[in-house]
């Protein structure tokens, strides 16, 4: 079984871990608190003994309307990822892997699964640009943008560090962020499973049927 069980405290103790700088430089260790997702060569899912509480987060969706995370995903299996559309590698790969795995689910489960992409680069990721980018991944995915400080606080409440977009030494604008996907149970609405950036399509394909039911993968 590709599963690890750990406590939130143990994960949050890894404060010196680096952030993912998609297509840019690596952030300096210790810049923000971040969890690793328990990723290793043999384990995809990290099951938490103390799940995360879903943040009270209201942002703007791709239609330009307010979108309340707790209300819109209540009682539904939900995957949340913080990233940005200008990322050339980790973000599109992560969303693509989820999109491919989702297609293997029965239609009813596909419709029930909520996949939420929250931008870490709201200055460039407008509702329109998010909609265009997600259309190439899965049109049913929800894209959210808004105030950076609000997004950062929500991410940190889930143990994910993000920093405001900056220009690197090569002149590229990069957004440094934790690359974990967090799965929330439809039974408790709590975030109880983490996936790291090395999680494959096969990993998601195997685990999503259980996530849909609120079971441990």
């Amino acid at each position: 079984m590709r599963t690890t069980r750990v406590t939130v405290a143990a994960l949050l103790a890894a404060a010196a871990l680096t952030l993912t700088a998609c297509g840019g430089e690596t952030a300096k260790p210790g810049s923000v608190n971040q969890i690793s997702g328990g990723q290793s060569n043999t384990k995809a899912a990290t099951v938490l003994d103390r799940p995360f509480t879903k943040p009270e987060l209201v942002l703007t969706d791709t239609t330009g309307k307010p979108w309340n995370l707790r209300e819109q995903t209540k009682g539904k299996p939900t995957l949340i990822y913080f990233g940005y559309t200008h990322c050339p590698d980790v973000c599109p790969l992560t969303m693509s892997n989820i999109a491919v795995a989702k297609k293997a689910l029965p239609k009813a489960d596909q419709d029930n699964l909520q996949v939420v992409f929250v931008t870490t680069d709201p200055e460039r990721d407008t509702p329109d640009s998010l909609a265009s980018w997600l259309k190439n991944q899965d049109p049913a995915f929800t894209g959210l943008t808004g105030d950076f400080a609000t997004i950062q606080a929500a991410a940190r409440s889930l143990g994910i560090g993000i920093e405001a977009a900056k220009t690197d030494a090569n002149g590229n604008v990069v957004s440094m962020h934790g690359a974990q996907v967090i799965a929330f149970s439809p039974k408790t609405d709590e975030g109880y499973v983490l996936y790291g950036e090395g999680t494959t399509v096969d990993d998601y394909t195997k685990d999503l049927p259980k996530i849909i039911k609120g079971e441990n993968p």
Side-chain angles (χ1 to χ4, degrees):
M1 180 183 297
R2 296 168 58 80
T3 304
T4 300
R5 182 179 293 276
V6 296
T7 63
V8 170
L11 289 173
L12 292 177
L17 294 176
T18 59
L19 296 176
T20 294
C22 302
E25 297 177 339
T26 302
K28 294 180 180 180
S31 55
V32 293
N33 288 345
Q34 180 197 357
I35 50 181
S36 67
Q39 187 70 21
S40 72
N41 291 332
T42 58
K43 295 163 184 166
T46 297
V47 179
L48 302 177
D49 285 343
R50 288 180 54 197
F52 286 112
T53 299
K54 191 176 291 180
E56 292 185 5
L57 182 63
V58 179
L59 294 172
T60 302
D61 67 13
T62 54
T63 69
K65 297 179 181 179
W67 204 88
N68 187 307
L69 178 66
R70 284 191 176 179
E71 290 183 2
Q72 299 292 116
T73 63
K74 185 176 181 180
K76 298 180 180 180
T78 303
L79 303 181
I80 296 178
Y81 180 76
F82 293 82
Y84 68 119
T85 66
H86 288 78
C87 172
D89 38 45
V90 178
C91 300
L93 177 60
T94 298
M95 299 307 288
S96 176
N97 285 346
I98 294 173
V100 172
K102 177 187 168 186
K103 290 179 181 178
L105 293 168
K107 182 62 166 59
D109 288 344
Q110 290 187 44
D111 293 341
N112 194 31
L113 178 65
Q114 301 291 298
V115 180
V116 181
F117 180 90
V118 184
T119 182
T120 60
D121 184 15
E123 185 172 336
R124 292 187 294 173
D125 284 342
T126 64
D128 286 344
S129 64
L130 274 173
S132 177
W133 189 80
L134 288 172
K135 183 178 180 180
N136 294 322
Q137 303 288 343
D138 185 322
F141 287 176
T142 297
L144 300 178
T145 188
D147 175 67
F148 177 79
T150 300
I151 294 169
Q152 185 180 53
R156 290 194 179 205
S157 75
L158 298 174
I160 296 177
I162 66 174
E163 295 182 356
K166 299 177 181 179
T167 302
D168 67 13
N170 298 317
N172 300 311
V173 179
V174 297
S175 177
M176 296 177 181
H177 60 88
Q180 296 79 31
V181 173
I182 303 183
F184 287 80
S185 169
K187 295 179 178 179
T188 64
D189 282 319
E190 294 180 321
Y192 72 116
V193 180
L194 301 179
Y195 293 96
E197 65 180 86
T199 307
T200 67
V201 171
D202 287 343
D203 293 326
Y204 285 120
T205 300
K206 292 176 182 176
D207 289 359
L208 282 182
K210 293 182 178 180
I211 297 294
I212 296 289
K213 299 176 183 178
E215 300 174 352
N216 288 347

